[in-house]
């Protein structure tokens, strides 16, 4: 895990438990939720003079960002925010990272190459989608066979349930996104 940056110790945080879990799997074993830091005075004593790296910062609300910056200022900390403001948004009011980006008050660095998708066709499709070329991106996804349409409602539910359970049995994570709460309940029941 990353231990030092510019000679200072780094503490890694994320807005959600699931994001912390991903960080830990990637080797950041001491990653914690930002809420743990903001609520725990013992943890706050440990950050003096350190670098606070907040991953998935696009999830931060204005309230959370204000609390983070106040805590960092009081403890002489440097803050590094990473994440994609186009990808995630905070649940609470205020889109803090996007506001900071648009204000020009923070120094920014950007990744221009997609690394997560290892299959070239999928990487090209995601690149198109991120550039706003939705039609071309979805066409590439269809051509690569990753989009499957099942018109029959009961067959679609059966396929979703089978794939979800297979992934869970293999120790993988699985997420099913439904357009409405009613659809989500029906899918969960299946």
């Amino acid at each position: 895990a990353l231990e030092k940056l510019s000679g200072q110790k780094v503490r890694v945080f994320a807005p959600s438990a699931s994001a912390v879990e991903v960080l830990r799997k990637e080797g950041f074993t001491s990653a914690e939720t930002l809420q743990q830091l903001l609520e725990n005075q013992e943890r706050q004593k440990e950050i003096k003079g350190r670098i606070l790296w907040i991953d998935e910062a696009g999830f931060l609300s204005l309230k959370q960002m204000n609390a983070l910056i106040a805590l960092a200022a009081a403890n002489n900390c440097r803050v590094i925010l990473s994440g994609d403001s186009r990808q995630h948004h905070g649940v609470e009011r205020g889109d803090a990272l996007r506001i900071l980006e648009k204000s020009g008050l923070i120094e920014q660095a950007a990744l221009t190459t997609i690394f997560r998708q290892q299959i070239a066709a999928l990487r090209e499709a995601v690149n198109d989608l991120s550039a706003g070329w939705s039609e071309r991106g979805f066409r590439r996804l269809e051509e690569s066979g990753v989009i499957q349409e099942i018109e029959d409602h009961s067959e679609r539910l059966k396929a979703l349930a089978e794939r979800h359970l297979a992934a869970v049995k293999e120790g993988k994570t699985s997420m099913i996104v439904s357009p409405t709460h009613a659809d989500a309940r029906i899918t969960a029941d299946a």
Side-chain angles (χ1 to χ4, degrees):
L2 182 66
E3 293 182 14
K4 292 191 174 203
L5 185 66
S6 302
Q8 291 179 296
K9 289 217 175 222
V10 177
R11 291 295 310 267
V12 181
F13 300 93
S16 68
S18 59
V20 167
E21 186 179 319
V22 170
L23 286 167
R24 288 180 180 166
K25 285 179 183 175
E26 294 294 324
F28 299 97
T29 56
S30 63
E32 296 181 278
T33 65
L34 179 61
Q35 203 61 35
Q36 288 172 311
L37 173 64
L38 295 176
E39 292 180 358
N40 188 316
Q41 291 184 353
E42 290 302 313
R43 280 186 176 78
Q44 292 174 13
K45 291 177 185 175
E46 300 168 1
I47 64 165
K48 286 198 181 302
R50 293 194 178 188
I51 295 172
L52 307 179
W53 174 20
I54 314 302
D55 192 36
E56 299 293 358
F59 277 120
L60 296 182
S61 67
L62 289 174
K63 180 181 174 183
Q64 292 168 313
M65 186 69 77
N66 284 333
L68 168 65
I69 298 304
L71 183 62
N75 288 283
N76 194 31
C77 297
R78 180 178 173 203
V79 176
I80 298 175
L81 304 170
S82 63
D84 186 346
S85 63
R86 296 177 305 153
Q87 185 179 13
H88 300 298
H89 307 283
V91 175
E92 292 181 349
R93 188 177 330 181
D95 205 356
L97 185 60
R98 185 185 320 271
I99 291 169
L100 285 172
E101 287 175 346
K102 287 185 177 183
S103 72
L105 295 172
I106 60 172
E107 187 175 326
Q108 298 179 49
L111 296 176
T112 57
T113 304
I114 295 172
F115 294 97
R116 186 170 286 165
Q117 279 72 29
Q118 299 299 310
I119 300 168
L122 295 180
R123 187 173 46 249
E124 291 168 3
V126 170
N127 204 16
D128 288 345
L129 292 168
S130 70
W133 301 323
S134 300
E135 188 174 320
R136 190 164 101 182
F138 278 105
R139 187 175 61 249
R140 286 182 194 245
L141 289 173
E142 285 178 333
E143 289 168 357
S144 66
V146 296
I147 294 178
Q148 182 181 6
E149 292 184 57
I150 303 173
E151 289 191 33
D152 182 80
H153 183 67
S154 60
E155 284 190 36
R156 184 172 56 251
L157 288 174
K158 182 180 176 192
L160 280 170
E162 287 173 354
R163 288 187 182 168
H164 172 75
L165 293 173
V168 171
K169 285 179 184 175
E170 292 176 18
K172 297 179 180 177
T173 59
S174 174
M175 180 187 301
I176 301 171
V177 179
S178 298
T180 67
H181 290 292
D183 285 333
R185 282 189 290 275
I186 291 167
T187 304
D189 288 342

